[in-house]
Amino acid sequence: MKIKMKKKLKVKGNHVIFSLVFLVLGYIIAFSYHVTKSEGENTAITGKQWDRDLELRNQLVDLEKKNLTLQKELHEKQEQVREIENELSQEAQVYFNLAEDAEKLRMYLGKIDVKGQGVEVTLSDGAYNPDEENINNYIVHEQHVFKVINELYISGASAIAINGQRLTHNSYILCNGPVIEIDGYQHPAPFVISAIGDAEVLSSALNLTGGVKDSLVNENIQFTLEEKAEVIMEPLLQAS
C-alpha cells in the first residue's frame, strides 16, 4: 500500500513539473511569436516609409530640374526684354532726334516763333555831305546788309531778321533806290538786323579790328550794335 501511494505521488509530481515546463514553454513560444509579428509589422511600415521617402525625393529632384529649366527660360526672356527695351530706347532717341531736327528746320524755315539771346545791329545812312557828289556813297546798300548777315551766320546765328522780317535759306535781298527789297517786301533805312545766337560771340565777331564794323564805317555807314538778353522773332511773312 505504501509503495502504491509513493508511486501515485511520484506520478503526480512529474505531471506538475511537466505542466509547468509546458506552460513556460508555451509562454515563451507565444511571446516569441508576438515579438516576431511586431518586428515584421515594423519592418513592413519602415519599407513603406522608405518607398514614400524615395518617391518624394524623386519628385523633389524633378521639381529642381524643372526649376532650373524655368530659371534658364526666365533668364532668356529677361535678356530678350532688355534687348527690346534697348531697341525701343534707341528708336525713342531716333524719334526724339527727328523731332528736334524737324523743330530746327521749322525754325530755319521761319515757320515758328523763336526767341533767345542775341544781338541787334542797326545800319543807317551816313550824314549828308554837300561836298559828296554821289549820294550812293553814304546810303546803305544790299552789299552792306549782306556783310552783316554773312558774318552773323558764320559766327553761329540760328535765326536772322531784317526789320522784323525773317530770312530763310533762299531769301533774296535787292537794292531798289532808297529801299531794299527782301523776298518781295520793301524796307526803308534804317535797317535793324536781329540775330539769335550767343550774344558775346556774335558781338565779338562783328567788332573784330578790320572786320565788318570797320569796313562799314569806312564806307560812311552808321553802325550800332547792341547785345540782347532776349530776341523774339515772329513766323516768316509770305509775300503776296
Side-chain angles (χ1 to χ4, degrees):
M1 229 16 221
K2 290 183 179 180
I3 292 172
K4 288 181 180 181
M5 289 294 291
K6 287 181 180 181
K7 286 181 179 181
K8 288 181 180 180
L9 291 172
K10 187 175 182 180
V11 169
K12 288 181 180 181
N14 290 335
H15 286 170
V16 172
I17 292 172
F18 281 122
S19 296
L20 290 173
V21 170
F22 285 127
L23 180 62
V24 172
L25 182 60
Y27 176 77
I28 291 172
I29 291 171
F31 180 76
S32 298
Y33 173 77
H34 177 72
V35 170
T36 302
K37 184 178 180 182
S38 298
E39 289 179 353
E41 291 177 354
N42 291 335
T43 302
I45 294 173
T46 302
K48 291 180 181 179
Q49 290 177 345
W50 172 257
D51 292 339
R52 181 60 177 166
D53 290 343
L54 182 60
E55 182 181 356
L56 292 174
R57 288 192 186 96
N58 291 335
Q59 291 179 1
L60 181 61
V61 170
D62 291 338
L63 289 174
E64 288 177 348
K65 289 180 179 179
K66 290 180 181 179
N67 186 43
L68 290 174
T69 302
L70 291 174
Q71 286 181 350
K72 184 178 180 181
E73 291 180 0
L74 176 62
H75 180 72
E76 292 175 352
K77 297 297 183 183
Q78 288 175 338
E79 288 298 322
Q80 292 177 1
V81 170
R82 291 191 187 97
E83 291 177 1
I84 293 173
E85 288 176 345
N86 290 333
E87 291 177 359
L88 292 176
S89 176
Q90 292 175 1
E91 289 180 1
Q93 185 63 42
V94 169
Y95 291 134
F96 175 81
N97 293 338
L98 289 174
E100 193 174 51
D101 292 342
E103 191 71 8
K104 289 180 180 178
L105 289 173
R106 292 189 188 97
M107 181 183 68
Y108 291 139
L109 293 173
K111 301 298 184 181
I112 59 174
D113 294 346
V114 290
K115 63 181 179 179
Q117 64 167 307
V119 297
E120 188 174 272
V121 178
T122 303
L123 302 181
S124 303
D125 295 339
Y128 175 71
N129 184 356
D131 297 330
E132 182 65 53
E133 296 182 358
N134 190 353
I135 191 175
N136 289 324
N137 291 335
Y138 58 87
I139 66 173
V140 179
H141 297 285
E142 75 272 18
Q143 66 266 24
H144 301 136
V145 176
F146 276 128
K147 285 183 179 181
V148 176
I149 293 174
N150 291 336
E151 187 63 34
L152 289 171
Y153 275 132
I154 292 171
S155 302
S158 58
I160 295 177
I162 300 176
N163 289 2
Q165 182 175 343
R166 294 274 295 277
L167 301 182
T168 66
H169 66 287
N170 60 352
S171 289
Y172 67 88
I173 301 174
L174 297 175
C175 188
N176 188 3
V179 299
I180 63 173
E181 184 177 311
I182 304 172
D183 298 338
Y185 289 90
Q186 293 184 347
H187 298 274
F191 304 106
V192 179
I193 303 171
S194 304
I196 293 177
D198 189 312
E200 185 176 352
V201 172
L202 298 177
S203 178
S204 299
L206 293 171
N207 282 318
L208 285 174
T209 302
V212 173
K213 178 182 178 180
D214 290 347
S215 174
L216 293 176
V217 171
N218 290 336
E219 294 178 14
N220 301 317
I221 303 301
Q222 294 183 17
F223 179 100
T224 59
L225 171 65
E226 184 181 358
E227 294 185 11
K228 294 284 188 177
E230 184 177 69
V231 177
I232 301 175
M233 295 187 187
E234 299 296 329
L236 181 66
L237 296 174
Q238 300 294 330
S240 56

